[in-house]
Amino acid sequence: MQPDWVMTEKIDSTSRLVFASDFGGTHMRGALIDDRGKIHVQLKRETPRGSSPNCIVNALVDAARDCQHRGGISRIAAAAVMVPGTVSKDNTFIVQAPNLTSLSKFGLKAAIEQELGCPTVLENDANAAAVGEMWLGAARGARSVVCITLGTGVGGGMILDGKLWRGVDGSAGEIGHASVEASGPDCKCGSRGCLEMFASGPAIVRMARESLSHFPDTMVQEQCLTAEKIYDAAKTGDELALMVFRKAGEYLGVGLANLINILGPEVIVVAGGVANGWDLLEGPMREEITKRAIPSAASSVKISVAECGDNAGLLGAARLALDDLNDQR
């Protein structure tokens, strides 16, 4: 069995270290990151399924202490936790997390600070990914950045004129819950036809299942179906799998065309596990952008896959925690 952690860099004793955690709907990841963006220890575990928020607090604290132990350090300067949901503007609790319902309205910041004894930052996962990509990734040097994360859900983070844009109540950037199909399927958020219902991992699985009867020769099997397996089938030329990824790419293009027309960003970064299928998504996505976006804005924006990969959010969360420490000096 493979270990759930890895040591990647020897720790410099003069560095300030942040424990950053990505709490997704499927897995939680943690890392020790220094003020240069070097990742020293990483771990990955299943997201706890308990109905109590204390299950998540305990998992985060255990992961932080495990990272400290593996790295051979006695203390961390700060902690940063990112979640797939809306964080309150005062950074104290999770307003809404559709895939982690036990965290809704729970004072996660205070709970983590009490257990770990250090300042803690909460942030939406896509916001953190946007900061990470602007710091060390595909958006280096840009001042106007949109990051869209494709995973268990679809998230979004926006940096305008160099500053993270959270909106009046902290909920800005929910690109996944912009409707791209008025009569589309119901979404967990209460709306319908959201981008998340077409471009997330579960959406790819759903669309494949719904079309199985129309493709009798497909190699896609209903049992234990995942977006990764559908991608693998598409790479072999399977017609059902190719259709599903084309549809996901088209709807992604509709969503991004709207963003381009409204915001006119310099860079759009696509991150998350589903972005591993970029070779299948990109073509239909760009076709829809060409059809729908204002030509001058479309020609000015750079669209690319996240350079920091799955670590974009971890790096961004660490950067935000370090910035808070600097502000407190």
Side-chain angles (χ1 to χ4, degrees):
M1 184 175 68
Q2 290 185 332
D4 67 354
W5 69 277
V6 62
M7 185 84 173
T8 58
E9 288 273 348
K10 184 177 179 181
I11 295 176
D12 181 346
S13 60
T14 64
S15 298
R16 286 186 302 169
L17 292 164
V18 173
F19 168 72
S21 179
D22 176 3
F23 231 95
T26 305
H27 292 102
M28 67 162 291
R29 299 168 62 234
L32 278 183
I33 302 174
D34 70 19
D35 45 17
R36 296 169 298 156
K38 293 290 186 182
I39 297 175
H40 296 279
V41 180
Q42 287 195 75
L43 58 79
K44 181 178 180 179
R45 296 169 180 170
E46 288 189 5
T47 297
R49 296 300 172 193
S51 58
S52 167
N54 291 328
C55 293
I56 290 177
V57 172
N58 291 338
L60 284 166
V61 171
D62 287 347
R65 289 175 176 161
D66 196 6
C67 281
Q68 285 181 252
H69 173 71
R70 302 291 182 185
I73 62 170
S74 59
R75 64 179 299 274
I76 53 177
V81 179
M82 55 176 175
V83 295
T86 305
V87 177
S88 64
K89 197 167 184 181
D90 64 359
N91 190 241
T92 59
F93 65 92
I94 310 302
V95 177
Q96 183 183 27
N99 295 313
L100 291 170
T101 55
S102 68
L103 285 181
S104 296
K105 306 297 191 295
F106 176 71
L108 186 60
K109 174 183 170 73
I112 297 298
E113 287 182 339
Q114 181 176 351
E115 292 293 330
L116 292 181
C118 65
T120 298
V121 168
L122 304 183
E123 190 52 82
N124 168 268
D125 55 357
N127 283 352
V131 173
E133 287 295 324
M134 191 173 76
W135 183 24
L136 295 169
R140 284 189 301 272
R143 300 278 297 170
S144 172
V145 179
V146 174
C147 181
I148 182 166
T149 57
L150 311 178
T152 304
V154 172
M158 300 186 297
I159 298 172
L160 305 179
D161 196 23
K163 296 180 180 180
L164 193 58
W165 180 253
R166 295 184 173 90
V168 68
D169 64 350
S171 65
E174 288 292 347
I175 298 166
H177 297 295
S179 183
V180 294
E181 181 63 75
S183 58
D186 293 338
C187 182
K188 289 180 181 179
C189 74
S191 184
R192 64 185 307 178
C194 294
L195 180 58
E196 184 166 301
M197 301 308 294
F198 298 100
S200 65
I204 287 170
V205 171
R206 188 200 76 248
M207 291 189 292
R209 284 201 171 112
E210 290 174 348
S211 301
L212 279 170
S213 62
H214 302 295
F215 293 85
D217 297 326
T218 182
M219 64 183 290
V220 174
Q221 300 297 314
E222 186 169 5
Q223 294 79 14
C224 302
L225 195 55
T226 65
E228 184 177 4
K229 289 179 180 179
I230 297 166
Y231 172 76
D232 290 341
K235 295 296 289 181
T236 69
D238 186 275
E239 291 186 6
L240 166 60
L242 286 169
M243 180 277 295
V244 168
F245 269 88
R246 179 166 188 85
K247 189 173 182 180
E250 287 172 348
Y251 279 108
L252 178 60
V254 172
L256 295 190
N258 289 333
L259 282 171
I260 291 168
N261 289 341
I262 294 168
L263 297 176
E266 295 171 73
V267 181
I268 295 176
V269 181
V270 183
V274 175
N276 291 330
W278 183 247
D279 56 331
L280 300 178
L281 296 168
E282 183 182 15
M285 176 204 74
R286 291 191 182 274
E287 288 175 16
E288 289 300 318
I289 290 173
T290 299
K291 292 177 188 176
R292 299 169 184 272
I294 296 168
S296 60
S299 64
S300 299
V301 65
K302 171 189 172 184
I303 304 174
S304 67
V305 180
E307 289 183 7
C308 298
D310 290 343
N311 291 330
L314 291 171
L315 290 166
R319 180 69 266 168
L320 289 167
L322 289 164
D323 288 345
D324 270 12
L325 289 175
N326 291 336
D327 289 344
Q328 293 168 18
R329 285 183 171 181

